[in-house]
Amino acid sequence: SITWHAPTFRNNEIQGSLLGARGLEVFGCTNSFTVYNNRIRVDGNALVLSSAGNGGSQPHVLNNTLISTAGSGAVISSGSTNVWFDHNNIQSAVYGVHFGFGTNSITSFRNNVIRSGNYTVYRQTATTNITFASHCALKRSTAGALAYWVSAQNTLASLQSGSGRFASSVVVDPLYFNTTNDLHAYAMELDMAGTPIAFITTDIDGDPRHATTPDIGADEFTPQLWADAFNTCGAADAITS
């Protein structure tokens, strides 16, 4: 748990096997903070933002991979404000991102990949406001509603209609390299399907982002196609429709 005013947390690997343990909690930060290029894998909630940020700050959560084997990928609650949550890859047993109690405001929720065992996005109450939410890849790995936006949203179309958000998003399995420890994604639908965010110019590996059509997720990648005749992989063309 980090409570001082303007921390930067980057390029870390956090692992924990204690049931219910949190990977990283940012609590009570009243100024800007930055959480980026981290790889977190725990049994509890991977990332928790609680009473984090205020109206004059811009907290950033960018280019992270968040794995929870028994909890949620991220929980944002208790009056967290003005949060930018972009270009993250999430694999969770329960909720992908849980917007909990309190009056929370999310400035940007874009270019995220979420694969979860329950709701991919869980907006528990109407007191969470999200200004921009788009270009996300969502996948529920079990039967049930895709998301919850004050009420259950069974499909992407119903989520878009009910929220007025999530334009240019897709429902697709991201094809993570390994759901337990490596969230590099390989689904072609993610390639060049994001929207540019001016200050995010590199990915989690330090590779440059495409200036106009970045990939959805934490990693910028080139899809590969298997050439059976030559027993090799080669670059695939980008999906354009």
Side-chain angles (χ1 to χ4, degrees), residues 42-161:
V42 293
D43 284 347
N45 299 324
L47 175 67
V48 177
L49 306 183
S50 181
S51 300
N54 61 41
S57 66
Q58 288 190 345
H60 292 148
V61 180
L62 316 169
N63 283 351
N64 301 284
T65 61
L66 307 173
I67 300 174
S68 172
T69 58
S72 297
V75 178
I76 303 174
S77 66
S78 304
S80 294
T81 58
N82 211 20
V83 176
W84 292 64
F85 192 99
D86 304 300
H87 278 297
N88 300 287
N89 283 10
I90 293 173
Q91 167 69 34
S92 62
V94 188
Y95 308 125
V97 179
H98 181 187
F99 300 105
F101 291 108
T103 301
N104 308 297
S105 67
I106 314 301
T107 300
S108 176
F109 189 83
R110 294 177 289 178
N111 299 334
N112 297 297
V113 178
I114 302 173
R115 184 179 187 273
S116 59
N118 206 308
Y119 302 129
T120 55
V121 178
Y122 181 24
R123 182 177 179 249
Q124 188 172 354
T125 71
T127 57
T128 292
N129 179 63
I130 302 178
T131 305
F132 299 109
S134 69
H135 298 81
C136 289
L138 309 175
K139 175 65 177 179
R140 179 168 175 164
S141 59
T142 63
L146 177 69
Y148 188 98
W149 197 270
V150 186
S151 62
Q153 308 296 324
N154 292 324
T155 65
L156 177 59
S158 66
L159 174 61
Q160 291 169 328
S161 176

Side-chain angles (χ1 to χ4, degrees), residues 155-210:
T155 65
L156 177 59
S158 66
L159 174 61
Q160 291 169 328
S161 176
S163 68
R165 310 287 191 275
F166 295 96
S168 302
S169 296
V170 294
V171 174
V172 63
D173 193 318
L175 303 180
Y176 290 138
F177 182 78
N178 189 314
T179 57
T180 63
N181 58 32
D182 187 347
L183 299 191
H184 283 86
Y186 294 96
M188 293 181 68
E189 291 86 348
L190 311 180
D191 183 50
M192 302 182 72
T195 186
I197 299 173
F199 54 84
I200 306 178
T201 58
T202 58
D203 72 356
I204 191 171
D205 299 319
D207 297 326
R209 290 278 182 193
H210 195 283

